[in-house]
Amino acid sequence: MDNPTVIKLINPETQLAFDLPMLSGTLGPDVIDIRALYQQTGLFTYDPGFTSTASCSSAITYIDGEAGILLYRGYPIEQLAEKCDFLEVCYLLMHADLPNAKELKNLIKSTTEHSMVHDQLTNFYKGFRRDAHPMAIMVGVVGALSAFYHDAIDIKRPDHRYICAIRLIAKMPTIVAMCYKYSIGMPFMYPQNKLGYVENFMYMLLGSPCETYQPNPVLVRALDRILILHADHEQNASTSTVRLAGSSGANPYACVTAGIACLWGAAHGGANEAVLKMLEEIGDVTQIGHYIARAKDKNDPFRLMGFGHRVYKNYDPRAKLMRETCHEVLTELGLHDDRLFKLAMELERIALEDDYFITKRLYPNVDFYSGIVLRALGIPSTMFTAIFAMARSIGWIAQWDEMIADPEQKIGRPRQLYTGPIQRDVTPIATRS
Ligand code: ACO
């Protein structure tokens, strides 16, 4: 990572010059190392939203938003989506390389063995109103996991961190499915060890104790792909939240819960649910023009959900893959004439041809399509973000683990540009206007 190049910073008031070292990664822009800036110059940098700031170094995921490239541990997302399943991707994110057959078998065994949750955890669900949003339940229940696994929560021990990762990957589908079953008043379904990871999730989510449930393999593959595409995305808002929470030494379940809370927002993981809500609101192709005009109006807060991305200023590679899956699923289910799907395709066409969206480089993002796929799978839109959280848990835990093992890791503590009142004295209440 070391690079002898330096950038000179000259303070215009004092004319003092400072050398700031440049660091190079294996891919992507070089960074200016400003760690000693304040100490040397008494200055902070200002970057709300971290648009130009690398908050850490990481060897997990690489994104080139201009070129539309996404790599997990160096492997292109297109190849992973075509050739691997979600558990192989989990192994890759955790261990830095793809598993061989034996390693994958071991991961399947461990995640299968840990898929049940402690029976007392079911009590936490009962504390929620039955119409609670699944993400509210997720924040509570995943946070509660911290109270169950004192046996392996020493974050300095790699073996403890590994077992935390396995527990999270294994239990997330069970926890998410239980959120849904609770909301519709159906009994919780126990995981079935004979089923694969995604099949088992679909069984727990959509099956019932009264009937046999046989997931359709095309739909299993589609959901598996959604999980792969959402597994990690470098230092996005929720992952940065997990890292920030973890930087204080908090336990991994608490950190992942912080990530879930962040993911809930409509500008992040809530987008696929928001896409469906928006399509319902538009209602009909004849109304698209009106909504496009609203999206372009600076005085109207309305935005086209599922369009635009902080990093991708080119077509999101995940959106391309999800679009393909979307068509496969709709063909399998004979849903091409579905009202909302037709509306979505027309919206996509118009937005891609519209000057506003072209010049601002606002392309459909992965969540524009994943919402449509999940709906076709029979999954209600309120569950979409919880499924995203299930997929992203591996990214969160891999990034958290990388941070804890990083010798340069420090507690995250940003500074600020203060714009409040300067120091003043408290006056007696009777004299205050
Ligand atoms: N519809 C209409 N206009 C938009 C949209 C949109 N979806 N997205 C951005 N713009 C406009 C903004 O108004 C802004 O215009 P201006 O330059 O005239 O002020 C310009 O494009 C840039 O937008 P910013 O908000 O500054 O871009 P930023 O990178 O901060 O935001 C974000 C990215 C939050 C994703 C934004 O595009 C958005 O709100 N999209 C809709 C929500 C969504 O789909 N989120 C999912 C993200 S993907 C994920 O989390 C997996």
Side-chain angles (χ1 to χ4, degrees):
M1 210 163 76
D2 285 333
N3 185 324
T5 319
V6 292
I7 288 231
K8 245 184 210 329
L9 182 78
I10 299 167
N11 184 329
E13 280 173 20
T14 61
Q15 290 304 310
L16 286 174
F18 301 94
D19 285 344
L20 297 172
M22 301 265 288
L23 304 176
S24 299
T26 46
L27 285 171
D30 289 347
V31 300
I32 306 167
D33 180 353
I34 57 163
R35 279 175 290 185
L37 183 73
Y38 177 63
Q39 205 186 15
Q40 288 182 2
T41 67
L43 297 171
F44 292 150
T45 55
Y46 181 61
D47 185 16
F50 299 105
T51 50
S52 300
T53 298
S55 60
C56 62
S57 63
S58 178
I60 301 177
T61 293
Y62 173 74
I63 303 172
D64 181 337
E66 294 294 326
I69 292 171
L70 169 60
L71 311 175
Y72 292 166
R73 301 281 190 187
Y75 294 106
I77 192 67
E78 292 83 356
Q79 291 183 30
L80 294 168
E82 291 294 336
K83 298 180 181 171
C84 299
D85 67 18
F86 179 63
L87 281 185
E88 284 174 87
V89 169
C90 288
Y91 187 97
L92 171 68
L93 292 171
M94 275 193 295
H95 296 277
D97 217 339
L98 285 165
N100 61 29
K102 188 169 165 234
E103 287 160 340
L104 181 62
K105 202 171 154 208
N106 287 341
L107 180 64
I108 294 171
K109 185 169 179 293
S110 340
T111 48
T112 304
E113 282 170 358
H114 282 282
S115 59
M116 242 182 359
V117 294
H118 194 290
D119 209 45
Q120 283 177 3
L121 199 77
T122 57
N123 295 329
F124 285 83
Y125 288 83
K126 292 178 191 139
F128 286 94
R129 272 172 60 134
R130 68 177 180 164
D131 58 354
H133 193 283
M135 287 299 276
I137 304 181
M138 291 286 291
V139 168
V141 173
V142 177
L145 289 178
S146 325
F148 285 82
Y149 300 112
H150 300 293
D151 61 320
I153 213 156
D154 181 352
I155 62 167
K156 292 193 190 75
R157 286 182 52 174
D159 58 331
H160 279 202
R161 299 204 298 272
Y162 184 69
I163 191 68
C164 287
I166 293 292
R167 282 183 166 142
L168 265 168
I169 304 166
K171 293 183 199 306
M172 261 319 186
T174 315
I175 290 171
V176 171
M178 286 168 77
C179 287
Y180 179 53
K181 289 301 191 204
Y182 183 73
S183 71
I184 54 170
M186 273 181 61
F188 297 140
M189 304 286 284
Y190 285 113
Q192 294 287 309
N193 286 0
K194 62 174 191 278
L195 297 177
Y197 188 86
V198 173
E199 269 184 313
N200 188 38
F201 173 61
M202 288 180 80
Y203 163 79
M204 290 188 289
L205 188 76
L206 302 171
S208 110
C210 316
E211 283 170 8
T212 44
Y213 174 80
Q214 191 54 53
N216 173 330
V218 175
L219 308 188
V220 171
R221 184 68 199 140
L223 191 49
D224 193 277
R225 184 173 272 195
I226 289 183
L227 300 187
I228 292 174
L229 300 185
H230 288 85
D232 194 46
H233 214 224
E234 53 118 305
Q235 308 313 318
N236 58 84
S238 57
T239 302
S240 299
T241 303
V242 171
R243 279 187 179 256
L244 192 57
S247 73
S248 72
N251 74 71
Y253 305 107
C255 299
V256 165
T257 304
I260 293 173
C262 178
L263 188 75
W264 194 354
H268 191 6
N272 51 12
E273 182 181 349
V275 168
L276 262 280
K277 272 196 193 137
M278 176 190 73
L279 292 175
E280 289 287 4
E281 187 187 326
I282 298 175
D284 188 85
V285 280
T286 58
Q287 296 302 308
I288 291 179
H290 168 66
Y291 281 91
I292 296 259
R294 281 190 61 191
K296 295 196 283 195
D297 181 357
K298 269 209 161 300
N299 299 316
D300 188 328
F302 176 80
R303 282 189 169 196
L304 273 195
M305 286 294 127
F307 283 78
H309 195 277
R310 167 58 64 80
V311 178
Y312 293 114
K313 301 303 174 194
N314 197 326
Y315 216 98
D316 175 346
R318 302 168 306 165
K320 263 190 210 139
L321 293 157
M322 209 62 248
R323 188 177 195 279
E324 196 181 288
T325 300
C326 186
H327 284 280
E328 272 166 30
V329 165
L330 293 161
T331 304
E332 174 69 14
L333 299 174
L335 284 176
H336 270 111
D337 281 334
D338 175 73
R339 178 179 61 92
L340 286 195
F341 175 65
K342 277 165 91 175
L343 181 58
M345 292 303 104
E346 188 56 11
L347 189 63
E348 178 202 47
R349 188 188 67 75
I350 294 174
L352 286 175
E353 287 171 2
D354 191 291
D355 219 37
Y356 173 92
F357 291 88
I358 295 169
T359 50
K360 291 192 187 301
R361 303 199 287 172
L362 299 169
Y363 296 94
N365 57 48
V366 61
D367 288 327
F368 182 69
Y369 301 104
S370 68
I372 300 167
V373 173
L374 290 170
R375 176 174 177 268
L377 261 55
I379 299 173
S381 57
T382 49
M383 288 303 300
F384 292 179
T385 318
I387 292 173
F388 187 166
M390 170 178 142
R392 185 57 58 85
S393 294
I394 178 59
W396 289 332
I397 203 79
Q399 297 264 355
W400 168 84
D401 182 64
E402 183 184 60
M403 178 194 65
I404 300 293
D406 182 351
E408 295 194 337
Q409 188 262 326
K410 278 180 186 304
I411 185 167
R413 181 36 173 109
R415 302 309 300 261
Q416 63 172 8
L417 176 64
Y418 176 69
T419 57
I422 56 169
Q423 186 170 331
R424 50 190 173 157
D425 293 323
V426 175
T427 52
I429 193 160
T431 65
R432 290 179 219 155
S433 52

